[in-house]
Amino acid sequence: MKKLALVAALAFLAGPALAHTGHGDANGFLHGLMHPVLGPDHLLAMLAVGLWSGFALPQRFWAGAATFLAAMAAGAGLGWAGLSVPGVETVILGSVVAFGLMVLLSRPGQGAGVTAASLVAVAAFAAAHGLAHAAEATGSVATYLAGFLISTAALHVAGIGLARFVAQGTAARAVQQGLGALIAASGLYIMIG
């Protein structure tokens, strides 16, 4: 619980940030690797997708991450093809709240319909992330995307691992709900600044 309290305190101390509006360099592999870790919206969203997958889909924990990565790459491709979506930053920030709520409310074996709807939401939000990253990328966009995908996958794996570790504990449900609530609240905080 002390670690959870520390994470909560740090999340609320962080200032609001919009990680997809040309902040910093967005060129090449190294910048692609760094952005998901340094952009609070992306960091929280990726951890949440991993957490949700680990908690809600213990037998298919890879499904959320695979869905996100594929849809984000497709969204980036659509962005490079010229598609632009007004308000994509708001959608991305909304993904943090939505993914946090998914972690908060999910249960293993939650039913095929809920799982399918959740994966559709993951894909839609991931496509928005991809569109935004395509818009900000310059120079070597293929290597930027490669770095971005690797870092994103690593954050998913970290979330899955944390979920599987938490699921073995005696207070698993309470910790899961606390993590989900913290992520959703952090997303709201980033939105309202």
Side-chain angles (χ1 to χ4, degrees):
M1 282 314 246
K2 287 181 182 180
K3 288 181 183 179
L4 187 58
L6 176 61
V7 171
L10 291 175
F12 285 109
L13 288 175
L18 298 177
H20 306 285
T21 56
H23 294 274
D25 204 353
N27 177 17
F29 185 73
L30 185 58
H31 290 118
L33 276 175
M34 290 177 5
H35 178 84
V37 177
L38 300 177
D41 57 347
H42 197 84
L43 175 69
L44 291 168
M46 297 317 96
L47 287 174
V49 168
L51 286 167
W52 173 78
S53 295
F55 286 127
L57 307 171
Q59 304 305 317
R60 296 176 307 152
F61 57 84
W62 51 266
T67 298
F68 192 98
L69 291 166
M72 186 173 72
L78 291 172
W80 289 322
L83 179 66
S84 176
V85 175
V88 71
E89 184 65 34
T90 303
V91 174
I92 289 169
L93 292 174
S95 75
V96 177
V97 177
F99 293 154
L101 291 173
M102 286 169 54
V103 171
L104 173 71
L105 301 172
S106 68
R107 292 185 176 275
Q110 60 191 359
V114 172
T115 298
S118 297
L119 288 171
V120 167
V122 166
F125 284 124
H129 279 264
L131 282 167
H133 302 312
E136 73 186 2
T138 60
S140 180
V141 295
T143 57
Y144 179 76
L145 180 63
F148 210 94
L149 288 170
I150 290 168
S151 205
T152 296
L155 289 169
H156 288 317
V157 168
I160 292 166
L162 179 58
R164 300 315 312 141
F165 175 76
V166 166
Q168 298 172 13
T170 56
R173 185 76 181 141
V175 174
Q176 174 189 341
Q177 290 174 327
L179 289 168
L182 177 62
I183 291 168
S186 296
L188 287 172
Y189 177 75
I190 294 169
M191 287 177 100
I192 62 173

